[in-house]
Amino acid sequence: MANEEDDPVVQEIKPKQQKVELEMAIDTLNPNYCRSKGEQIALNVDGACADETNTYSSKLMDKQTFCSSQTTSNTSRYAAALYRQGELHLTPLHGILQLRPSFSYLDKADAKHREREAANEAGDSSQDEAEEDVKQITVRFSRPESEQARQRRVQSYEFLQKKHAEEPWVHLHYYGLRDSRSEHERQYLLCQGFSGVENTELVKSPSEYLMMLMPPSQEEEKDKPVAPSNVLSMAQLRTLPLADQIKILMKNVKVMPFANLMSLLGPSVDSVAVLRGIQKVAMLVQGNWVVKSDILYPKDSSSPHSGVPAEVLCRGRDFVMWKFTQSRWVVRKEVAAVTKLCTEDVKDFLEHMAVVRINKGWEFILPYDGEFIKKHPDVVQRQNMLWIGIQAKLEKVYNLVKEAMPKKPDGQSGPVGLVSGDQRVQVAKRQAQQNHALLERELQQRKEQLQASAVLPGVRIKEEPMSEEGEDEEEPMDTSPGGGLHGGLANGLPAVRAAGGDSFNGHPPSGSAGTLVARELRAFVQATFQKQFVLTLSELKRLFNLHLASLPPGHMLFSGISDRMLQDTVLAAGCKQILVPFPPQTAASPDEQKVFALWESGDISDQHRQVLLEIFSKNYRVRRNMIQARLTQECGEDLSKQEVDKVLKDCCVSYGGMWYLKGTVQS
């Protein structure tokens, strides 16, 4: 501008990170000002004593602080407009700050209140004492601050707050709206020295002018926050191919009737194409579509609760889906007993497709869709064939007894009737009696096979020595999913298959085959302890059973692994047994009282973990402050809270304000 030289810039203030605090005086003489309230606030903040550090020196709340907040990160598309004499003058904006009242004085009042309460509690407890007791004190010299500790201190919230409080205030003078200085500054918002003829950029069509005024911003698209993976607008969804739309909808909803799916995809979508697409990502259950397990659990994923691989999770969830094709109701404990998965994983399966009912179990979340069954019999028949294949696979994996399995309803022709709790109890009793008789017959058959094989030539039976401590002879570990006798199993194998191998009696084969088995077992143990760090023998055996369930039939680990062999492999893999002093009245089984921990994993937390394990070798349960003190004593004062939290998370669980090693707490 022509007159800009007459008004030089005296001082330019650029706020750091576009954050400004503005302190403004309050008119205490205004009739709307409540003087008693102002005095009370000043008393709460500063107390009764006069001090240079008081926030309100006049004993009255006579000022208010405003703190700025950044409204937007991209101001290139905003301008200040001034309309005068038929002309619109635009001034670009380089920053926008919004001022809001700051209530930091309330924090100071709370701090004063706590100090007064602490002083009142202390009271005059020492007034009656003639002389204070002599106490021994320990003088400790602070060690030099390391670079890492200094960086943590500089980045801490307390340091930043202290640095912010030490920043000096800049005194400003306020000019009113009608003041001559304000009017002079307002003239800078008007465009000077340009005529409409010289500005050829505005000689354009309205649409071109609007495009110049508001161009499409690529930076704004980049600055958009990334939405969660399960959040997608319907407008964005409909830009995707039909197969992707169906997959995304089913992955998020989990269970959906076909009519609802068609309404979400829109009236212009062909129902035949949707039927082809839905069968690739979902299965038909009671006339409704349930997303396939491999969509929710991809191949390389694992359970966030137990670390079980996706293949085992898919198998367990398929079992739950198959159960719902047989009945409206499923009992969680029955599912957990068959799949051998933890409670959290089974609960996730059920929450995907069912709702819990008190004293009844889990009911399928949607009503039976008979209309779809009648309208699309070809799709229903194809789905029934798929379920027959899944059922055969589940029978083989989980060793389900065919006689005890409910018959599949033909074509899912109608909804399964509701069964009361008493009826379920009676049915369970009858099934238990039938299963007991069946197991008795299988046990007798197994004994006869054992007796017959004992006299057959060429069958090697390995004898193991008795323990020197007078313990019972070692027995093979039960690795069968349904128990040692369920399904006619001999140490995890069907009796026919076990009778034809060298490891019929539950011991791994000798020679090179035995070396391969030991190598496979050690690899499983090392991988498991790298994830869990602390395991009881009972939990380790459960994880080993899950590992066996994920292996293909005929794998070498099915040859039979004894408890002694498993424990020896754990100790040889760099783990140690922690002799936790369980209380005498503990309800823990012997396997639950055998605790093993990874002693050295190669990370920086090995020393912390070893100190923690030594603590629990002498204590069944420990308070956190004791653990913190011992770790600080052994590892130094530089130990941060995050490091303590990490080692506790790796090895311990908290219950009732106390810390226990994983697997040892008895609720």
Side-chain angles (χ1 to χ4, degrees):
M1 299 181 183
N3 58 350
E4 188 173 0
E5 297 179 356
D6 299 336
D7 189 13
V9 176
V10 178
Q11 183 181 8
E12 182 178 0
I13 300 176
K14 294 183 178 180
K16 296 181 180 179
Q17 298 179 354
Q18 296 188 353
K19 185 175 182 180
V20 176
E21 283 191 356
L22 182 64
E23 188 179 273
M24 299 182 64
I26 299 177
D27 185 8
T28 58
L29 301 179
N30 191 290
N32 296 323
Y33 181 81
C34 181
R35 191 174 185 85
S36 61
K37 192 65 175 179
E39 292 176 350
Q40 183 63 44
I41 293 176
L43 179 63
N44 293 338
V45 173
D46 298 327
C49 300
D51 193 354
E52 295 180 356
T53 61
N54 285 357
T55 304
Y56 305 111
S57 57
S58 62
K59 299 296 182 182
L60 197 65
M61 183 180 177
D62 54 359
K63 57 186 176 181
Q64 173 69 57
T65 303
F66 293 85
C67 184
S68 69
S69 61
Q70 189 173 354
T71 57
T72 179
S73 59
N74 184 12
T75 59
S76 61
R77 305 182 67 177
Y78 295 90
L82 186 64
Y83 186 78
R84 179 170 293 186
Q85 297 179 358
E87 297 177 344
L88 183 65
H89 299 259
L90 299 177
T91 303
L93 299 179
H94 298 285
I96 302 175
L97 295 179
Q98 182 180 12
L99 292 174
R100 296 180 178 179
S102 173
F103 301 99
S104 57
Y105 61 89
L106 296 178
D107 298 333
K108 190 174 181 181
D110 291 340
K112 288 280 186 181
H113 180 67
R114 286 193 295 268
E115 290 177 2
R116 286 194 294 268
E117 284 187 345
N120 293 335
E121 289 179 1
D124 300 327
S125 59
S126 61
Q127 290 182 357
D128 298 334
E129 299 179 3
E131 183 179 355
E132 293 185 356
D133 295 337
V134 178
K135 296 182 179 179
Q136 182 180 359
I137 61 174
T138 303
V139 180
R140 301 180 65 181
F141 297 94
S142 60
R143 64 181 64 183
E145 186 179 28
S146 63
E147 181 64 22
Q148 184 180 7
R150 190 190 68 81
Q151 291 179 359
R152 286 201 302 265
R153 180 177 59 83
V154 170
Q155 296 175 359
S156 65
Y157 176 77
E158 291 79 3
F159 181 83
L160 295 177
Q161 287 293 102
K162 182 180 179 182
K163 187 177 180 181
H164 178 72
E166 292 174 353
E167 185 177 350
W169 287 90
V170 178
H171 295 279
L172 303 176
H173 183 73
Y174 173 74
Y175 295 94
L177 181 64
R178 303 298 179 184
D179 193 272
S180 60
R181 179 58 184 258
S182 299
E183 182 63 29
H184 178 73
E185 292 291 336
R186 199 156 41 246
Q187 293 298 320
Y188 290 140
L189 298 178
L190 300 176
C191 183
Q192 305 285 343
F194 292 97
S195 64
V197 179
E198 295 175 352
N199 193 356
T200 57
E201 290 184 353
L202 299 181
V203 186
K204 296 180 181 295
S205 64
S207 60
E208 291 176 335
Y209 173 68
L210 287 176
M211 182 61 67
M212 293 176 59
L213 184 64
M214 296 289 291
S217 176
Q218 297 180 354
E219 295 182 359
E220 186 174 286
E221 296 295 329
K222 295 179 181 178
D223 294 340
K224 280 186 177 181
V226 180
S229 59
N230 62 337
V231 176
L232 190 66
S233 67
M234 292 302 298
Q236 292 174 321
L237 182 68
R238 288 174 179 171
T239 61
L240 302 176
L242 179 61
D244 293 339
Q245 294 184 44
I246 297 173
K247 182 177 179 180
I248 291 173
L249 286 172
M250 291 306 304
K251 187 175 181 180
N252 284 274
V253 182
K254 310 269 188 322
V255 184
M256 191 186 306
F258 186 75
N260 288 14
L261 179 62
M262 290 299 300
S263 64
L264 290 174
L265 294 175
S268 61
V269 180
D270 183 18
S271 61
V272 177
V274 176
L275 274 175
R276 285 198 298 265
I278 190 64
Q279 295 182 68
K280 297 178 181 179
V281 297
M283 295 291 293
L284 190 65
V285 178
Q286 299 190 24
N288 301 281
W289 291 98
V290 182
V291 64
K292 289 184 177 180
S293 301
D294 55 0
I295 301 296
L296 296 179
Y297 303 108
K299 185 175 181 181
D300 297 330
S301 63
S302 60
S303 168
H305 306 294
S306 60
V308 173
E311 183 180 358
V312 181
L313 293 176
C314 291
R315 194 179 302 149
R317 188 173 181 274
D318 287 345
F319 177 75
V320 175
M321 293 169 61
W322 173 80
K323 290 285 288 183
F324 276 120
T325 64
Q326 313 300 312
S327 172
R328 289 282 302 173
W329 300 89
V330 167
V331 179
R332 179 180 58 81
K333 292 184 178 180
E334 295 177 1
V335 176
V338 173
T339 60
K340 295 296 188 294
L341 293 172
C342 68
T343 305
E344 290 79 7
D345 288 333
V346 176
K347 189 176 180 182
D348 284 349
F349 299 158
L350 293 170
E351 288 177 344
H352 290 168
M353 61 192 84
V355 291
V356 65
R357 305 296 186 191
I358 299 176
N359 297 330
K360 289 185 177 181
W362 290 78
E363 184 185 12
F364 193 69
I365 194 169
L366 295 178
Y368 181 84
D369 192 353
E371 182 179 353
F372 180 85
I373 298 294
K374 296 177 182 178
K375 191 174 181 180
H376 303 281
D378 53 337
V379 176
V380 174
Q381 184 179 4
R382 193 178 304 115
Q383 288 291 309
N384 285 341
M385 296 299 295
L386 292 176
W387 277 120
I388 291 174
I390 293 175
Q391 176 179 342
K393 182 180 178 181
L394 294 175
E395 290 176 3
K396 182 177 180 181
V397 173
Y398 293 131
N399 300 283
L400 302 176
V401 182
K402 292 186 178 181
E403 290 80 355
M405 295 174 62
K407 295 183 179 180
K408 189 177 184 66
D410 298 334
Q412 299 186 11
S413 57
V416 181
L418 301 181
V419 182
S420 66
D422 294 338
Q423 292 175 338
R424 290 183 60 82
V425 172
Q426 296 299 328
V427 172
K429 287 182 178 180
R430 288 195 298 269
Q431 290 181 352
Q433 293 173 357
Q434 295 173 1
N435 292 339
H436 178 72
L438 181 63
L439 292 176
E440 287 289 343
R441 290 196 300 269
E442 292 175 352
L443 176 60
Q444 185 64 29
Q445 292 175 1
R446 185 183 178 192
K447 288 181 178 179
E448 293 175 357
Q449 292 175 357
L450 288 172
Q451 292 173 0
S453 63
V455 297
L456 292 177
V459 178
R460 296 184 293 106
I461 299 180
K462 182 179 177 181
E463 296 182 358
E464 297 226 355
M466 297 289 290
S467 173
E468 296 180 358
E469 300 178 1
E471 296 178 352
D472 294 339
E473 186 177 354
E474 177 187 356
E475 296 182 356
M477 182 181 66
D478 177 20
T479 56
S480 62
L485 300 176
H486 183 73
L489 295 183
N491 199 29
L493 283 176
V496 176
R497 187 189 307 172
D502 293 335
S503 56
F504 171 73
N505 63 336
H507 300 287
S510 58
S512 60
T515 304
L516 292 176
V517 170
R519 187 181 303 168
E520 285 287 331
L521 182 60
R522 179 161 183 165
F524 160 76
V525 169
Q526 289 176 339
T528 302
F529 275 93
Q530 284 291 341
K531 296 179 182 178
Q532 305 286 348
F533 292 104
V534 176
L535 287 171
T536 62
L537 179 59
S538 174
E539 179 65 13
L540 181 61
K541 289 165 64 175
R542 187 187 72 84
L543 295 176
F544 184 65
N545 281 331
L546 293 176
H547 180 63
L548 287 181
S550 65
L551 297 177
H555 194 273
M556 62 181 66
L557 286 181
F558 283 108
S559 59
I561 305 298
S562 64
D563 288 1
R564 176 60 57 84
M565 183 177 181
L566 185 62
Q567 295 179 64
D568 292 343
T569 305
V570 170
L571 297 176
C575 302
K576 289 189 177 182
Q577 184 174 358
I578 310 301
L579 302 178
V580 179
F582 282 83
Q585 68 277 13
T586 181
S589 64
D591 284 352
E592 292 175 340
Q593 296 186 34
K594 293 181 180 180
V595 184
F596 297 92
L598 182 62
W599 195 252
E600 292 183 357
S601 63
D603 60 9
I604 59 176
S605 300
D606 279 347
Q607 182 185 2
H608 309 156
R609 197 178 300 113
Q610 292 169 9
V611 173
L612 182 67
L613 295 175
E614 289 177 358
I615 294 175
F616 280 100
S617 65
K618 301 177 182 178
N619 303 275
Y620 172 62
R621 57 183 183 179
V622 189
R623 292 191 180 274
R624 182 189 172 96
N625 56 1
M626 177 181 174
I627 297 175
Q628 181 87 37
R630 181 69 180 275
L631 288 173
T632 303
Q633 178 183 354
E634 297 290 339
C635 305
E637 295 183 355
D638 290 340
L639 195 65
S640 64
K641 180 179 181 296
Q642 290 78 7
E643 293 171 330
V644 177
D645 291 341
K646 180 183 182 304
V647 72
L648 288 175
K649 182 181 179 181
D650 289 344
C651 304
C652 303
V653 293
S654 177
Y655 183 79
M658 304 294 288
W659 288 88
Y660 302 78
L661 276 185
K662 287 184 177 179
T664 62
V665 60
Q666 302 294 321
S667 58

